[in-house]
Amino acid sequence: FSTAITITEQPVSVSVPVGYSFTLRCRAQGHTSLQYQWFCQYQSDCRLIPGATNQDLPIIAEQTQLYTCRVNDLHRNAVFSDWVKVEVHQCVARGLPPQLWQGEPVIVLNPSEQRVEVGQPLQLQCAAMGVPAPSYQWYRNGNLLEHQKRKKLWITHTKVSDSGTYLCCASNSHGEHWTNAVDVHIGEQSQPTSPCCRSPGVRCKIALLVGNNRYQHHPNLLAPVRDVFELSRLLKHLGFQVVSLLD
């Protein structure tokens, strides 16, 4: 029976730059000696990887693929590990990831400001590298959006109440990193943030807000994120152009 083999360590998905070297791991226990065989899938093509018969599978990242490991015993029992995704980023900005990267999340794609008519779809997108692959959580005006846990935030039919400032947190076992905050305008006419900037010779009022919630010797805080959003909204009503930064 397949229950004669138990996988004790599943491989984990990763998100890495092209050319990055790493290892997928699979561990199992059984009543007899075990044999391992790795498979990969690209698009709809699933194939055995020749010579990949060890518990560890060294990989040099070239393209995004799925991987699984089959474990056999001497009685022809077999189980497969979870399928894991190796996401490969082909275009990564110079200097990323950091030289001494330990696998902590690194943002490689930030969302962009959006103006959408009421009832139309809204899509915001971000991406991060990480080992293991990061999980995602979106926020609007500092409040967690419970069902938005993917790289792409998707709202099929927007409402005026969907307007606000959005950002996403990418996290894994090594830490977390936040995207830039971006404004989303639903059902509003496209116009400059501050009309004064259109008039020659008129001085603009610009406010720079910096919120820090990543301290070296203190737990992460969420309040600075909310404070930046609330203060940003107040200053915009007073006619300021606002630049908001986090960490």
Side-chain angles (χ1 to χ4, degrees), residues 55-154:
Q55 296 173 318
D56 295 342
L57 177 66
I59 294 177
I60 299 176
E62 295 181 357
Q63 61 186 6
T64 297
Q65 294 187 123
L66 300 175
Y67 291 83
T68 187
C69 185
R70 184 187 66 205
V71 186
N72 295 77
D73 66 12
L74 299 182
H75 300 301
R76 296 186 179 179
N77 297 311
V79 295
F80 282 86
S81 73
D82 295 339
W83 281 97
V84 294
K85 184 176 184 179
V86 173
E87 183 180 33
V88 180
H89 297 274
Q90 300 291 340
C91 299
V92 176
R94 183 173 298 176
L96 292 180
Q99 190 170 13
L100 299 178
W101 190 43
Q102 299 297 312
E104 66 276 9
V106 175
I107 302 295
V108 295
L109 175 65
N110 280 286
S112 56
E113 182 176 349
Q114 302 285 329
R115 291 183 179 273
V116 179
E117 294 298 323
V118 173
Q120 295 300 305
L122 168 67
Q123 178 177 290
L124 295 174
Q125 188 170 354
C126 71
M129 296 184 296
V131 180
S135 58
Y136 296 87
Q137 177 61 65
W138 287 88
Y139 294 78
R140 182 181 67 239
N141 298 334
N143 298 313
L144 182 146
L145 298 173
E146 187 172 349
H147 301 296
Q148 300 290 355
K149 297 178 180 292
R150 299 178 181 271
K151 286 187 295 183
K152 291 183 180 180
L153 176 146
W154 179 259

Side-chain angles (χ1 to χ4, degrees), residues 41-62:
Q41 179 175 329
Y42 177 68
Q43 295 178 345
S44 60
D45 178 31
C46 181
R47 59 184 176 84
L48 176 150
I49 304 174
T53 56
N54 295 321
Q55 296 173 318
D56 295 342
L57 177 66
I59 294 177
I60 299 176
E62 295 181 357

Side-chain angles (χ1 to χ4, degrees), residues 114 116-122 124 139-141 145 148 153-166 182-188:
Q114 302 285 329
V116 179
E117 294 298 323
V118 173
Q120 295 300 305
L122 168 67
L124 295 174
Y139 294 78
R140 182 181 67 239
N141 298 334
L145 298 173
Q148 300 290 355
L153 176 146
W154 179 259
I155 298 175
T156 307
H157 301 289
T158 54
K159 306 181 295 293
V160 173
S161 58
D162 292 320
S163 295
T165 305
Y166 287 73
V182 296
D183 291 328
V184 171
H185 310 273
I186 308 297
E188 299 177 11

